[in-house]
Structure formats: structure tokens, C-alpha cells
Amino acid sequence: MSGNPNESVESRLATILPHLRHGLREESGGRRGGRILRVTGVVVHASVEEVRLGEICELADPKTGRRTRAEVVGFMDDTAVLVPLGDISGLSSLTEVVPTGHELRIPVGTGLLGRVIDALGQPLDGAPLRKEGIDGRYPVNAFPPQPLERAMIAEPIALGIRALDGLLTCARGQRVGVFGAPGVGKSLLLSDIIKGTDADVVVVALVGERGREVREFVDRQIGPEQRARVVTVVATSDRPAIERVKAAYVATTIAEYFRDKGQHVLLAMDNVTRFARAQREIGLASGEPPTRRGYPPSLFAALPRLLERSGPGRTGSVTGLYNVLMEGDGTMDPVAEEIQALLDGHVFLSNELAQRNHFPAVDVLRSRSRLMDAVVPERHRADAARIRELLARHADIELLMRIGEYKEGSDPLADEAVAKIDRINAFLRQSSRSAETLDETRQRMREIVDEGR
């Protein structure tokens, strides 16, 4: 740019704009760009030709030199609706909008193991990604495998938690929701599972978490020993809604990469509720009508597309664990209700158990694994059924015991439940540093059931 002090700002812009537009047009394969018309909340309305849904556009401001990527999420009349992938400060009416011709892609490969990345695939842990560890770039928006191309689910995956491995056994390739109110230990349970699972690779998505919790989760709850097989994708609560949404898709994409390599992957997402709220924020700002509890229709289309991408592939598998922040008992929560209907199992965490310092606070009687019977031997199935039966009978007579109305000897099943409840509760309680193998869990269950026979 000329340094002539007498040259006006308008003439300088007239000089630089053609060069900037020429450079952007070269990057986009010669396609014509457009201009921002208005910015409303988190969305940008632009007049730009030849764009499609999901395409990434470059927003380049000639005055400030600021460049930001944005994704096309809709159309309204003759304008494209875009959501910037980052901060929108510095954009102006002069900002050029140029389509790139491609959708968002992220680097994948073994070089991601042990790393912490953001929702755009960029490292957050202070070191660049090594080129020799990157195997290419995968599109973030992908289709799940065709139903008949998936392998049959046939074996369990050990999570290291007795209550889950014993009474709610999870299969490789199963999708399970962990439901609970704030403060009942969902994130702690997830970190214990990451340390105790026998999965080959673990991919963690921290969606909408507090910044403080991210460091604690990575350094303290997972620890350096486990990080070598863990990829962590982070979009904290202060990041734009589109980044919180993309974090879930990016983590799923990375899990799919390792599954396609024949590995068994555990995908842990904390949490899907914040993904849903970010999707609501984008949908409402884009002009969608609110439907169930203020959530737009696009959310209920996005949830199955996201959740169906996990599961078994031709060779490897993605076992999905999805934390769900539940409102009340969940009966009036449309997100929790929809997720429960889509998944292959649900684990409910109890406020009452958490208040008793019973951790993990798994409400066994309310929880269910739909694939347990397909992957456990007959003796395991029978022992688990007997322990659940004893828990249910003890819950039936607990009030009678408190008021002194229970009469011993009148009901053999109730007598057995009373005699064994302390051992059952000890089995269901577990410290965060005491992961157990599946065989050890089965042995403990067998001892409880056989006691007194």
C-alpha cells in the first residue's frame, strides 16, 4: 500500500480490494464472491452465489485484514445464512464472502493420540501436529455405515466399573446414554471408565465444559499414563455455538478413522445436552421455528445423524458413551427423551445415591443395557438377574423395615435380600482408583449369589 499521506482511505481501498478479491477467487477455483448484508446474533446473512449447505466460505475484511471461516447452514430468500467458525468481531459491510468449494475437514491419524485439539482440528496443547502422524483429512459431516455392512455385535467391552460390567454389561459397538442431574458424578464416572476400559483407543469430546474442568479432566482425572491412547476434542462454553456443535462431529470423525483401521474405539461425549443447546441456538438464530420446549426441528434431525455414526463397522467398532444432563426425572425433557429412544442402553445416576456418598451413583433398577443378553454367558446372565431381583425386593420392603413392620420368615426372597443387601451395595460401590476386569466382576457376583446356598 502506498504511504502517500494525501491519499484518501477510499482510494487506498479501491487499490487493495481488486487484489484481495483476485486472491480469494483463485483459492475458490474462480467462483464469484459476495458481500455481507447483515449480521444477526450468531449468524451472517450474505449475498453470494453458487454455495451449498455445509460449504465453508472465507470472510475476508479488506480494511482490517481479518479472515474468518464460516459454514453455510441455510438459505433465506436470496441470501445465504452462514455461521462463523470463530469470533465475528471485526467484520463489516465491506467483508468479502468467497465460497471455498469444500466442507470442513480435519486431520486424522495416529499423531492425534495423546493430543488435545479444538473443534476445527487445531492443537490446544502447545505443540504442532506432526506431519508423519497424520494420515489425511476426513470430512466432519459423514454418513454412518449402511445397516447390512455393519458386523454383528457379539462380545462385551470391559469398562472397569463393577455396576456396569456386571449388571449392565456393554457390548463392543453399543451406544449407551449416561443420564443424570448436575453433580451426580457423570464426568467422574466417564473418567473412571476411560482409565478402566480395554478399548484400543479412546476419543473424548468435551462439549461446552468450563475451561477449568478441561485441564482437570486431562491432567488429573485421566492422567499421563492413559493419555497415550486418548484423543481429546474440546469446545468450552465460551466458544461459539457452531464450535460446540462441531466438537461432537469432530470427535465422532476421529473415532470413525480408528474404527476403519480395525480398532475398537470408545467414544465418550460429555455432554450431548450442550450439543443440543448449541444446535438450538444456531437453529433459532437462523430463523427456524421453536417446537418442543423451544428446540427447533433441525435438532431432532441432527441427533440421529450424530448418534448413528457410532457402532460397529466392517471390522472395528465405536462404542459410544453419551452423557446427558437431565432436567428433573427426564419425563419432560425432550432431549433426554429423544436420546433414550435412539440409544441401545441407558444408565441413570441417582441424586439420592449421590447424597448418600454412594459412587458411582448408578440406579441399577432404572437402568438397562439392551444388548447385555447377546454378549454374556448364561451364568453371568443368571447371576445378574438374581442380584437385580434382590435389589428390587429390598426396595419393595425398605419402608416396612424403616417403620418396624417387616416380619422375618414370611418371604424367603425378602429375607435373602435383607441378608445380602450390604454385600450387594459394597459390590456396587467403587473408588475411582480400583478398576476391575470382567472376570473379577463375574467372580464377585457369583460369590454374592452363591452365599448361603
Side-chain angles (χ1 to χ4, degrees), residues 69 104-108 111-112 115-125 127-129 134 137-138 140 231-234 243 246-247 249-251 254:
R69 287 186 293 175
L104 183 64
R105 293 172 173 265
I106 60 159
V108 292
L112 294 177
R115 304 302 302 273
V116 181
I117 63 174
D118 66 12
L120 304 180
Q122 302 300 316
L124 291 175
D125 48 12
L129 295 178
I134 300 302
R137 302 180 75 89
Y138 269 32
V140 169
V231 183
T232 308
V233 182
V234 175
E243 288 193 31
K246 290 302 179 187
Y249 288 115
V250 167
I254 294 170

Side-chain angles (χ1 to χ4, degrees), residues 222-240:
I222 296 181
E225 295 180 359
Q226 297 297 331
R227 279 188 63 178
R229 61 168 179 161
V230 177
V231 183
T232 308
V233 182
V234 175
T236 51
S237 58
D238 61 304
R239 301 306 301 163

Side-chain angles (χ1 to χ4, degrees), residues 163-169 174 176-180 189 326 340 344-350 353 360-372 384 388 391 428:
L164 302 182
D165 288 345
L167 304 181
L168 302 163
T169 310
Q174 186 172 350
V176 178
V178 181
F179 298 79
L189 176 61
M326 197 167 58
Q340 187 177 347
D344 306 315
H346 43 272
V347 176
F348 285 96
L349 302 186
S350 164
L353 290 175
V362 178
D363 188 340
V364 173
L365 296 179
R366 195 179 172 192
S367 305
R368 182 67 61 183
S369 170
R370 297 177 182 174
L371 296 177
M372 176 177 174
R388 291 179 70 99
L391 280 170
L428 297 177

Side-chain angles (χ1 to χ4, degrees), residues 172-210:
R172 291 193 188 276
Q174 186 172 350
R175 300 165 303 156
V176 178
V178 181
F179 298 79
V184 295
K186 295 187 299 299
S187 298
L188 183 60
L189 176 61
L190 209 61
S191 66
D192 289 344
I193 290 173
I194 292 169
K195 289 183 286 189
T197 184
D198 62 357
D200 300 322
V201 175
V202 179
V203 181
V204 181
L206 300 179
V207 182
E209 289 291 322
R210 305 172 187 89

Side-chain angles (χ1 to χ4, degrees), residues 85-412:
L85 296 165
D87 190 13
I88 63 175
S89 61
L91 300 183
S92 71
S93 57
L94 296 174
T95 298
E96 183 94 359
V97 182
V98 179
T100 63
H102 59 77
E103 58 187 351
L104 183 64
R105 293 172 173 265
I106 60 159
V108 292
T110 56
L112 294 177
L113 294 173
R115 304 302 302 273
V116 181
I117 63 174
D118 66 12
L120 304 180
Q122 302 300 316
L124 291 175
D125 48 12
L129 295 178
R130 293 179 293 104
K131 291 183 179 180
E132 59 271 19
I134 300 302
D135 195 25
R137 302 180 75 89
Y138 269 32
V140 169
N141 297 315
F143 293 102
Q146 292 296 325
L148 297 183
E149 292 179 359
R150 293 183 185 267
M152 290 289 289
I153 288 177
E155 59 181 355
I157 180 172
L159 303 178
I161 307 297
R162 291 191 295 264
L164 302 182
D165 288 345
L167 304 181
L168 302 163
T169 310
C170 183
R172 291 193 188 276
Q174 186 172 350
R175 300 165 303 156
V176 178
V178 181
F179 298 79
V184 295
K186 295 187 299 299
S187 298
L188 183 60
L189 176 61
L190 209 61
S191 66
D192 289 344
I193 290 173
I194 292 169
K195 289 183 286 189
T197 184
D198 62 357
D200 300 322
V201 175
V202 179
V203 181
V204 181
L206 300 179
V207 182
E209 289 291 322
R210 305 172 187 89
R212 170 188 59 82
E213 292 177 329
V214 173
R215 184 67 180 269
E216 290 180 356
F217 185 87
V218 172
D219 289 345
R220 184 177 299 170
Q221 295 183 19
I222 296 181
E225 295 180 359
Q226 297 297 331
R227 279 188 63 178
R229 61 168 179 161
V230 177
V231 183
T232 308
V233 182
V234 175
T236 51
S237 58
D238 61 304
R239 301 306 301 163
I242 189 67
E243 288 193 31
R244 284 174 269 146
V245 168
K246 290 302 179 187
Y249 288 115
V250 167
T252 304
T253 300
I254 294 170
E256 288 173 327
Y257 164 80
F258 286 106
R259 177 186 64 191
D260 294 345
K261 297 297 181 181
Q263 295 184 291
H264 295 294
V265 185
L266 177 68
L267 171 62
M269 193 172 295
D270 190 9
N271 61 54
V272 186
T273 305
R274 295 194 183 106
F275 164 86
R277 290 172 180 172
Q279 188 74 47
R280 175 174 63 183
E281 186 178 336
I282 295 169
L284 295 179
S286 302
E288 285 190 75
T291 53
R292 295 163 60 185
R293 295 290 294 275
Y295 288 99
S298 62
L299 169 66
F300 300 101
L303 280 174
R305 285 201 303 268
L306 173 67
L307 301 177
E308 273 294 323
R309 288 172 62 180
S310 56
R314 285 193 178 96
T315 54
S317 66
V318 177
T319 304
L321 286 179
Y322 301 94
N323 276 3
V324 182
L325 188 62
M326 197 167 58
E327 297 179 15
D329 61 359
T331 56
M332 298 296 291
D333 186 338
V335 173
E337 184 182 52
E338 187 76 11
I339 293 171
Q340 187 177 347
L342 291 170
L343 297 181
D344 306 315
H346 43 272
V347 176
F348 285 96
L349 302 186
S350 164
N351 262 329
E352 184 181 356
L353 290 175
Q355 290 166 2
R356 295 179 186 174
N357 200 36
H358 179 123
F359 290 103
V362 178
D363 188 340
V364 173
L365 296 179
R366 195 179 172 192
S367 305
R368 182 67 61 183
S369 170
R370 297 177 182 174
L371 296 177
M372 176 177 174
D373 289 350
V375 296
V376 298
E378 181 58 37
R379 178 61 196 263
H380 183 156
R381 189 181 305 118
D383 290 345
R386 185 61 175 178
I387 291 175
R388 291 179 70 99
E389 191 177 14
L390 294 174
L391 280 170
R393 192 70 187 102
H394 188 271
D396 292 339
I397 65 171
E398 190 171 13
L399 178 60
L400 294 177
M401 295 176 61
R402 288 179 179 177
I403 64 176
E405 291 295 322
Y406 172 69
K407 297 290 190 285
E408 187 177 355
S410 60
D411 183 346

